[in-house]
Amino acid sequence: MFCDTEKVGAFALRREHLIAPSGAALFRLLIMMTLFQRRQDAQVLRILRGIGAKDAHELGDANALLSLVDERACPWMATTKLLHEECDLGKVEHSGAACCTKRPLTDCHLKRHTVLLKRYGDFGKAPTSAALVLREAGADSFNEIKAQVFVQEPNPLERSKRMIEVVSQAWRVSEKIASMFLSAVTNPDLPGSAPSWSAGLDWTFFVVIDSNVDLFLKSIGLPAGLDYSSKRTFIRTLAHSINLRRLRPELHPYNPRLVQQAIYMFMSASSRRLSARDCSRSGGSACRRCPREMSERCPVRVELS
């Protein structure tokens, strides 16, 4: 998807740069993925497609963003700490124009970005924040971040935990977004993943828990109030009972990310409506064949009934 211009427009990556992967491709991939929160995927893809080539390059290029930081010399974007805690970037109610109180008359690239990205008022901080995370780590790319973590931590699982911590330092990059990003380049059963990134990391740790997965976990009686770590542990444990190789011989038998993605797809009515192969296209006949334990939780069945 992230290499398809019809899906993500000018942000599209060259497949070989993602599989390699290049530092520039990794950064642009993270910026795209940052938008995938609290909106339907189709809406996010429309936002990405609506951004022109020049703006897409600026938003997805760490060096270009850092140059803008240095050119403007705004004290509130000099470091991630200042950017996150002091910059009060927002949007004017009703008009959607960007604003701030610290330098309201300044033509700031953060203001432009928050309008381009069409998300929360403070979302324009996200690309620049990610670039500052690299600068403050003394790294030119996430490839260098990974190399640093490998030197500091010998254990693959602890390396994976540390990678999530580092990536999550960027503005609006939650544990979910960090896991989505890292699984995309490490999980050997996901299309386009990077074999070089899989080695030395515990890629089974990267599980993406969004609102759809959350709904399913609640429906099967998982206690309310569990944190992200507990939900991830549950899915990783659950995945041990599902031998994916029985479904497709080329898959790894244990892959929590794919189990989680199946849960997401099942619970996402909007994603299923876009699929030509979804059982909902068979109408009520498919619902009558479905096991009761699944049909009771099916969001599409509710719409059909």
Side-chain angles (χ1 to χ4, degrees):
M1 181 177 77
F2 294 104
C3 299
D4 187 346
T5 55
E6 292 187 6
K7 296 287 181 65
V8 298
F11 281 94
L13 303 167
R14 290 176 60 177
R15 191 174 179 85
E16 61 268 28
H17 291 171
L18 183 58
I19 294 174
S22 74
L26 288 172
F27 188 84
R28 184 178 288 201
L29 179 65
L30 176 63
I31 300 308
M32 284 191 278
M33 286 186 167
T34 304
L35 272 70
F36 284 85
Q37 43 189 307
R38 298 190 179 278
R39 272 199 186 177
Q40 294 179 356
D41 291 358
Q43 293 176 311
V44 174
L45 292 173
R46 281 197 294 272
I47 292 172
L48 290 171
R49 288 195 300 271
I51 297 174
K54 181 179 178 181
D55 290 325
H57 171 77
E58 181 177 286
L59 287 161
D61 187 304
N63 291 328
L65 292 165
L66 292 173
S67 292
L68 288 170
V69 168
D70 297 337
E71 288 170 11
R72 296 297 179 188
C74 174
W76 314 122
M77 65 175 79
T79 66
T80 53
K81 181 176 175 62
L82 288 169
L83 181 65
H84 297 181
E85 297 179 4
E86 300 297 334
C87 173
D88 63 350
L89 178 68
K91 284 184 179 178
V92 178
E93 193 174 358
H94 305 305
S95 74
C99 62
C100 76
T101 62
K102 301 290 177 69
R103 291 192 168 186
L105 302 180
T106 300
D107 181 19
C108 168
H109 73 275
L110 300 183
K111 295 175 185 175
R112 285 194 292 105
H113 291 175
T114 213
V115 173
L116 285 169
L117 295 173
K118 297 181 179 178
R119 298 304 314 272
Y120 309 103
D122 61 13
F123 221 94
K125 295 183 186 183
T128 296
S129 174
L132 287 170
V133 167
L134 293 178
R135 170 179 278 182
E136 290 170 8
D140 290 330
S141 71
F142 286 107
N143 282 322
E144 290 189 21
I145 293 284
K146 173 174 169 274
Q148 292 175 2
V149 169
F150 271 49
V151 170
Q152 297 163 2
E153 178 55 63
N155 181 276
L157 176 58
E158 295 305 317
R159 285 172 177 170
S160 296
K161 293 178 180 179
R162 180 60 184 148
M163 287 300 301
I164 286 180
E165 290 175 3
V166 175
V167 176
S168 298
Q169 290 173 10
W171 186 254
R172 286 287 181 183
V173 176
S174 60
E175 192 162 6
K176 167 202 155 184
I177 297 298
S179 297
M180 185 188 300
F181 168 68
L182 291 165
S183 68
V185 292
T186 62
N187 195 302
D189 292 329
L190 291 180
S193 64
S196 61
W197 266 68
S198 300
L201 287 166
D202 184 353
W203 50 265
T204 70
F205 186 73
F206 303 130
V207 176
V208 181
I209 301 171
D210 76 329
S211 56
N212 286 307
V213 176
D214 233 359
L215 283 173
F216 185 84
L217 296 178
K218 290 176 183 176
S219 78
I220 62 174
L222 213 64
L226 291 180
D227 60 12
Y228 197 101
S229 177
S230 299
K231 294 171 186 177
R232 177 176 51 225
T233 297
F234 177 84
I235 290 176
R236 294 184 77 208
T237 303
L238 173 67
H240 278 294
S241 66
I242 302 172
N243 184 351
L244 294 173
R245 194 158 283 168
R246 294 175 60 186
L247 302 175
R248 284 190 178 183
E250 71 272 18
L251 296 178
H252 288 69
Y254 176 68
N255 195 327
R257 178 70 170 86
L258 292 193
V259 172
Q260 164 262 298
Q261 185 68 8
I263 293 171
Y264 161 80
M265 283 300 299
F266 176 73
M267 295 299 292
S268 175
S270 59
S271 296
R272 288 177 60 181
R273 279 196 295 267
L274 294 174
S275 173
R277 298 185 299 169
D278 191 73
C279 58
S280 62
R281 296 185 180 275
S282 301
S285 61
C287 294
R288 287 188 291 272
R289 294 194 303 269
C290 190
R292 182 175 60 84
E293 293 82 357
M294 298 298 287
S295 64
E296 287 178 347
R297 300 180 175 89
C298 179
V300 181
R301 179 185 175 88
V302 173
E303 294 177 2
L304 291 173
S305 60

